[in-house]
Amino acid sequence: MIREVRNRIKEILQNAIDTAVQSGDLPHVNTPDIPFSPTKAPEHGDIASPIALSLAKTAKTSPRKIAESITRHIHLEESSLIRKVEVAGPGFINIYLSKIWVYNVLKTIKEAGANFGHSNHGAGLRVQVEFVSANPTGPINIVSGRAAAVGDALVNLLHAVGYEAVREYYVNDAGGQVDNLGASIDVRYRELLGQGGLKIPDGGYHGTYLIDLAQSIVDEDGDKFLRFDDTDRGTIFRDLGIERLLGTQKATLERFGVHFDTWSSEKALRVSGKPDEIIEVFRQRGYLYEADGATWFRMTDFGDTKDCVVIKSDGEYTYFVPDAAYHRDKFERGFDKAIDLLGPDHQGHVEHLKHLVEALGLGDDWLEVWIIQQVNLIDSEGNRIEMSKRSGQFYTLDALIDELAEAVDDRFAVDVARYFFLMRSNTSHLDFDLQLAVTQANENPVFYVQYAHARCCSIFREMESQGIVQTEIGEAQSELISDPESLQLIRHLAEYPEVVLNSAEKREPHRLTHYLYELAGLFHGFYNEHRVLDPSNANLTQVRLMLVGGVQTVLRNGLSLLGISAPESM
RNA sequence: GUGCCUGUAGCUCAGCUGGAUAGAGCGUCAGCCUCCGGAGCUGAAGGCCGGGCGUUCGAAUCGCCCCAGGCACACCA
């Protein structure tokens, strides 16, 4: 429902409730914000309100009676917007709008254009979204790919509804993981130079990409690193590995169309001394104690089952310290809210993170942490490949895009991947059926949506070639739209702004994906049933062109928020 | 063992703050182009919404208890 119409109807219903209460027709009740629900069938009007249903509890009357009292006090002459109201089902107030609303919707879309669906709901609040943040120890896999698609779309959505949102990637370029990387590269390096009996260390990385990396070192510098002792060589290979692998990750994400505003380095953070400050703060607040040669954080003070080590007996910080420092740093940079999208392997960390932030006194709802669930790939032989960074078994985002590019047009490979990642709710484990995506690419839902857009464009091209010029239409002409398919489309178009808002506020871009799919379906149905360019009826042609323009605008806006292209032809 | 996620049509999944006959794609079956793009459309078949109890006028949705699958539970990140 577009805002103006919604507010007007709200007013009318509120007035009706007030007069009903004044006249004693309705017991005195506190009315909540009047809810609306889109109607599923034309017999239910253009919009419905379940307000009577929600009042029933406190009013201690049956919902139907309440609905009848309310509707009795609606004076239709008050507003030319509402044509008819009806009480239906358990107590829904079904509202039928007069034809002027068709005009309102189409005109609103046309005037807003690329901004239709946007709002200033967020009031410029600064939101930082951190996502992907994969360790720089390997290529971006499809689990991170999913997070990349979701995070990117989420930032777009937040922007659309008035937040000042930014994308950030936290590079874990310090700590034990990257030391393991260096040691793993070292093993590969020495293996390539003929040393036998070597083993990838515990916690190291087994992926074959490190053989390639080591080979490139051998190609460039031969065996010159053998001169160094193991520790120095590990350090050299660590830094070199981070640089190369991070470069690979950046390239992949660019290719995937995700552009981060900020790349934060854990190493730089550690050098800054901020982790030390965190320890000071925690110590002052009494959250720390010493035991077994280590320093522990009282996670149990925050309801956790056990305390956590923050300084190991070797004097090194565990990841809790830089993580806490990093989040405080976000806060100090002035973000009103931080949203972390974490991978499924960090589930246990979610609560810890919130507790650390709480211990820093950053406020309860300042940090939001969401798990973007795992992705399994069904490969072209039908084998299920479970993603696990630690086992060294993974399917890279690059490989996925390559495979899609080969099967479908190059220019749509990224679109298909992003769409698939954005089809499911974040909490749902996703089976990416490559076999299906590849062999049935032509029936892919992303093409279904894109095709609807291309079809709109095609109609306008045809319009031009027939020498038809689009004119301003007036309210009178808009009344020519009376067929069910068109009205259904109008109703759906009018929902768009709310879908955008809900997708952003619930952090669930998949809602928009589903909406667009439905819109495409309604449009294909409309198209099949009606001729837009009707030589025998110039007025109808004009109003239908405006409708097609509305569909085109919404499809384009929506796809753009998802980071998916809206092709003019396919 | 503890925590998180999931369980809806043969398969993969939607189902918004509880609300009207539980939806879609794929698959199966049957149809639609003298006409703006058939990557489309129409129809049919297919469901004790994992199970139970509870809250409610009303539960796929909320609460509790089970069952099943996945993941996480380091002086790793």
Side-chain angles (χ1 to χ4, degrees):
Chain A
M1 180 68 44
I2 57 178
R3 200 184 314 131
E4 296 74 17
V5 175
R6 185 193 185 97
N7 289 343
R8 185 74 192 107
I9 296 173
K10 237 183 221 183
E11 245 173 60
I12 293 168
L13 285 180
Q14 189 61 55
N15 285 340
I17 291 169
D18 291 345
T19 43
V21 169
Q22 278 160 26
S23 69
D25 212 2
L26 204 63
H28 184 74
V29 283
N30 288 328
T31 49
D33 190 34
I34 294 176
F36 290 102
S37 57
T39 51
K40 287 175 194 157
E43 312 87 86
H44 295 151
D46 295 304
I47 185 80
S49 177
I51 179 68
L53 297 160
S54 39
L55 289 180
K57 209 161 282 176
T58 45
K60 297 206 161 58
T61 322
S62 85
R64 271 202 81 99
K65 277 190 182 157
I66 295 172
E68 278 155 16
S69 303
I70 294 172
T71 52
R72 237 194 326 274
H73 290 89
I74 294 176
H75 303 294
L76 291 187
E77 57 275 20
E78 265 179 24
S79 159
S80 56
L81 188 60
I82 298 179
R83 178 162 55 90
K84 185 172 73 166
V85 291
E86 267 177 12
V87 176
F92 281 97
I93 298 175
N94 289 340
I95 297 161
Y96 296 77
L97 300 169
S98 54
K99 288 290 173 56
I100 186 175
W101 112 282
V102 167
Y103 180 70
N104 283 347
V105 172
L106 295 182
K107 190 160 172 279
T108 302
I109 297 175
K110 187 164 188 181
E111 284 174 355
N115 288 319
F116 179 66
H118 295 203
S119 63
N120 59 359
H121 187 264
L125 240 55
R126 295 188 62 202
V127 180
Q128 187 231 41
V129 183
E130 182 209 328
F131 56 108
V132 184
S133 296
N135 287 343
T137 53
I140 296 286
N141 66 16
I142 58 175
V143 182
S144 295
R146 181 182 189 183
V150 171
D152 194 48
L154 178 57
V155 172
N156 288 340
L157 283 162
L158 290 169
H159 256 290
V161 299
Y163 292 93
E164 211 178 290
V166 297
R167 300 167 174 82
E168 186 154 324
Y169 190 118
Y170 180 54
V171 183
N172 296 113
D173 52 2
Q177 298 294 332
V178 287
D179 290 338
N180 288 335
L181 171 71
S184 303
I185 295 172
D186 184 36
V187 168
R188 296 307 193 188
Y189 176 75
R190 286 187 289 156
E191 275 176 355
L192 287 171
L193 292 175
Q195 294 188 19
L198 300 173
K199 244 181 69 191
I200 300 284
D202 284 348
Y205 297 88
H206 298 261
T208 53
Y209 59 90
L210 288 188
I211 301 177
D212 300 336
L213 203 160
Q215 183 64 57
S216 75
I217 297 172
V218 172
D219 291 346
E220 287 161 28
D221 293 302
D223 64 358
K224 82 172 194 193
F225 293 110
L226 289 180
R227 292 199 311 257
F228 296 89
D229 67 32
D230 286 3
T231 313
D232 288 346
R233 212 169 44 244
T235 306
I236 291 166
F237 288 159
R238 179 195 68 195
D239 293 345
L240 201 141
I242 290 171
E243 190 193 326
R244 301 236 175 136
L245 292 167
L246 189 59
T248 307
Q249 291 186 347
K250 286 185 177 178
T252 303
L253 290 165
E254 283 293 315
R255 181 187 186 198
F256 197 52
V258 180
H259 312 292
F260 284 91
D261 299 293
T262 308
W263 295 77
S264 275
S265 155
E266 179 183 350
K267 195 173 170 185
L269 182 86
R270 289 191 188 233
V271 168
S272 77
K274 288 183 180 179
D276 312 326
E277 294 169 21
I278 291 297
I279 289 295
E280 244 351 271
V281 172
F282 283 166
R283 203 182 294 283
Q284 276 167 20
R285 298 190 181 184
Y287 292 128
L288 302 184
Y289 65 90
E290 317 289 325
D292 305 326
T295 303
W296 297 70
F297 177 85
R298 295 184 196 279
M299 208 58 94
T300 47
D301 278 9
F302 299 87
D304 215 89
T305 48
K306 49 189 168 192
D307 292 333
C308 298
V309 169
V310 285
I311 306 177
K312 297 190 272 181
S313 47
D314 66 3
E316 290 289 321
Y317 292 146
T318 61
Y319 62 95
F320 291 112
V321 183
D323 262 17
Y326 176 49
H327 282 82
R328 194 168 79 150
D329 178 62
K330 293 184 186 187
F331 184 80
E332 284 167 351
R333 279 187 275 154
F335 291 108
D336 298 301
K337 183 178 267 299
I339 300 177
D340 290 4
L341 305 185
L342 266 41
D345 51 338
H346 289 73
Q347 268 166 25
H349 190 40
V350 175
E351 285 306 304
H352 291 155
L353 207 47
K354 300 195 96 163
H355 296 155
L356 291 170
V357 165
E358 200 185 333
L360 291 169
L362 298 186
D364 217 24
D365 54 358
W366 178 76
L367 174 67
E368 267 178 40
V369 189
W370 301 90
I371 297 289
I372 307 300
Q373 273 296 346
Q374 64 191 87
V375 180
N376 296 314
L377 189 96
I378 314 294
D379 72 12
S380 36
E381 273 95 49
N383 302 312
R384 182 197 210 85
I385 304 176
E386 308 211 343
M387 296 302 117
S388 166
K389 290 177 208 167
R390 311 274 157 84
S391 72
Q393 189 180 34
F394 54 83
Y395 197 90
T396 66
L397 183 56
D398 269 320
L400 178 69
I401 300 173
D402 287 343
E403 201 149 345
L404 290 171
E406 201 175 314
V408 301
D409 196 303
D410 259 11
R411 63 184 172 139
F412 296 133
V414 168
D415 287 339
V416 171
R418 290 181 76 124
Y419 191 97
F420 268 66
F421 286 138
L422 293 169
M423 264 174 20
R424 308 285 157 73
S425 61
N426 303 336
T427 50
S428 162
H429 302 194
L430 184 152
D431 275 350
F432 199 115
D433 192 337
L434 193 57
Q435 202 171 18
L436 201 76
V438 167
T439 60
Q440 305 186 341
N442 287 353
E443 277 133 27
N444 229 310
V446 64
F447 294 130
Y448 186 81
V449 178
Q450 288 181 319
Y451 183 60
H453 181 266
R455 206 170 220 182
C456 292
C457 296
S458 162
I459 292 170
F460 284 111
R461 280 195 297 272
E462 180 63 21
M463 174 194 84
E464 279 179 29
S465 75
Q466 289 185 16
I468 299 170
V469 176
Q470 241 192 313
T471 57
E472 279 297 312
I473 66 157
E475 291 178 25
Q477 280 164 299
S478 70
E479 303 208 357
L480 292 170
I481 285 196
S482 59
D483 63 277
E485 290 80 12
S486 301
L487 292 174
Q488 190 68 32
L489 258 182
I490 301 276
R491 280 190 286 269
H492 204 252
L493 289 173
E495 292 301 321
Y496 178 71
E498 280 180 71
V499 172
V500 172
L501 182 61
N502 287 335
S503 303
E505 289 298 339
K506 303 263 181 186
R507 327 296 186 216
E508 292 181 342
H510 79 280
R511 291 169 186 250
L512 178 56
T513 315
H514 281 272
Y515 168 87
L516 292 175
Y517 188 83
E518 282 168 9
L519 177 60
L522 291 174
F523 177 68
H524 287 311
F526 159 83
Y527 178 88
N528 216 257
E529 196 65 31
H530 305 285
R531 245 196 114 66
V532 176
L533 303 172
D534 184 348
S536 68
N537 193 334
N539 279 328
L540 186 59
T541 295
Q542 285 298 332
V543 74
R544 284 194 169 146
L545 279 170
M546 195 165 177
L547 176 57
V548 173
V551 173
Q552 183 188 37
T553 298
V554 171
L555 286 172
R556 188 188 294 152
N557 291 1
L559 285 171
S560 144
L561 290 176
L562 298 178
I564 294 170
S565 71
E568 302 201 348
S569 65
M570 300 179 67

